[in-house]
Amino acid sequence: KDSDSEDGGKYIGLLTAWVSMTAAIMSLVLGRVSNVYGKATVLIFGSICFIGVVVPFVLFPLETYAGDAPEPTTTGASSSSSNSSPWGWTLLLLVYTLHGTGRATFESTLKATFADYFPQEKEGAFANIIWQNGISGAIGYILTFALTCPPTSEEEPAQWGCMRYNDGSYHDVGSFEVLCLTTGVLAVVGLLRAGKLYEQEQIERQDQENEGLVGGWNESNEGAAGLQPNDDAVSA
């Protein structure tokens, strides 16, 4: 299995480039889509794509036994004789394509939406994006080695989500997957809520502007009426 892992490792650069290429292409496509269906639709689609990155790992977990996890191969068949794994080029490309599509919405549409929502505080809004991205990245990095699980024997099935790494350590990737799925769902809910708040603010701002125009029009009329001579003055 070590040799299989080394052979598969040479494709990491190719898959990473696939994410960037997908993000670049989908940025152009989603830009046209947002002009027709709105930015919120594109952002929801991007969140669904990020959720879709995790779903294959939930449906087809790499671990079957704590001590005998199947290795993905280029043909889609598992290197373990006792387990059949669907992990191959098709499923890997699907995961990386979904990641690239979600990244396209983050790099373009999300930042444009922040600029729309905070027109008077664009610098603060973009700084908030960087801060949130850095915090979430740090948390994800820490959890990669902080979420561990106790090992079990090869004859006894491991707990759900417990996966054996190449260095022999056991990690609770199941909790990681649940966290990612929950975050994706909350992102959709938060986006819908933010859209409602933005619409309410736009309506309130429009009402204030209309009240200001009506008040200014009344003041101008009153001023004009004060300048007109009254009948007594004219008769005198």
Side-chain angles (χ1 to χ4, degrees):
K1 291 194 292 187
D2 292 339
S3 60
D4 291 340
S5 299
E6 293 177 358
D7 292 339
K10 64 184 180 182
Y11 298 109
I12 293 178
L14 176 62
L15 293 173
T16 303
W18 181 267
V19 172
S20 300
M21 182 184 69
T22 303
I25 295 175
M26 292 305 297
S27 293
L28 301 176
V29 175
L30 295 176
R32 296 179 177 273
V33 173
S34 64
N35 293 333
V36 178
Y37 298 100
K39 297 184 181 69
T41 302
V42 174
L43 290 177
I44 292 175
F45 175 70
S47 298
I48 294 174
C49 288
F50 280 127
I51 294 174
V53 172
V54 186
V55 170
F57 294 95
V58 177
L59 298 179
F60 310 109
L62 294 177
E63 74 283 352
T64 54
Y65 293 95
D68 188 22
E71 297 289 345
T73 63
T74 56
T75 60
S78 171
S79 61
S80 174
S81 59
S82 60
N83 302 289
S84 177
S85 173
W87 285 97
W89 274 109
T90 302
L91 200 52
L92 281 175
L93 287 178
L94 174 62
V95 169
Y96 280 86
T97 300
L98 290 173
H99 188 191
T101 304
R103 179 178 172 181
T105 63
F106 172 80
E107 295 293 344
S108 56
T109 312
L110 178 64
K111 295 180 179 179
T113 302
F114 266 65
D116 293 339
Y117 283 7
F118 306 99
Q120 307 299 329
E121 293 289 343
K122 292 184 179 180
E123 295 81 3
F126 292 141
N128 214 337
I129 293 178
I130 297 174
W131 180 80
Q132 294 177 12
N133 189 32
I135 291 295
S136 59
I139 293 175
Y141 175 76
I142 293 174
L143 292 180
T144 55
F145 58 83
L147 288 176
T148 59
C149 52
T152 57
S153 62
E154 295 185 6
E155 292 79 11
E156 180 183 356
Q159 69 180 51
W160 179 84
C162 185
M163 182 176 176
R164 179 179 182 272
Y165 282 16
N166 289 333
D167 61 358
S169 60
Y170 292 82
H171 295 260
D172 187 8
V173 296
S175 297
F176 215 144
E177 294 166 0
V178 172
L179 178 61
C180 293
L181 291 174
T182 304
T183 304
V185 173
L186 291 178
V188 175
V189 175
L191 175 63
L192 294 175
R193 178 58 180 164
K196 291 294 184 180
L197 293 175
Y198 178 70
E199 292 179 0
Q200 293 177 1
E201 290 180 356
Q202 291 295 100
I203 294 175
E204 293 176 358
R205 184 179 295 115
Q206 187 65 37
D207 291 341
Q208 292 176 356
E209 292 178 356
N210 293 336
E211 291 177 358
L213 291 176
V214 172
W217 182 78
N218 290 334
E219 291 178 358
S220 62
N221 286 341
E222 292 176 357
L227 293 176
Q228 295 178 357
N230 53 37
D231 294 339
D232 296 339
V234 172
S235 60

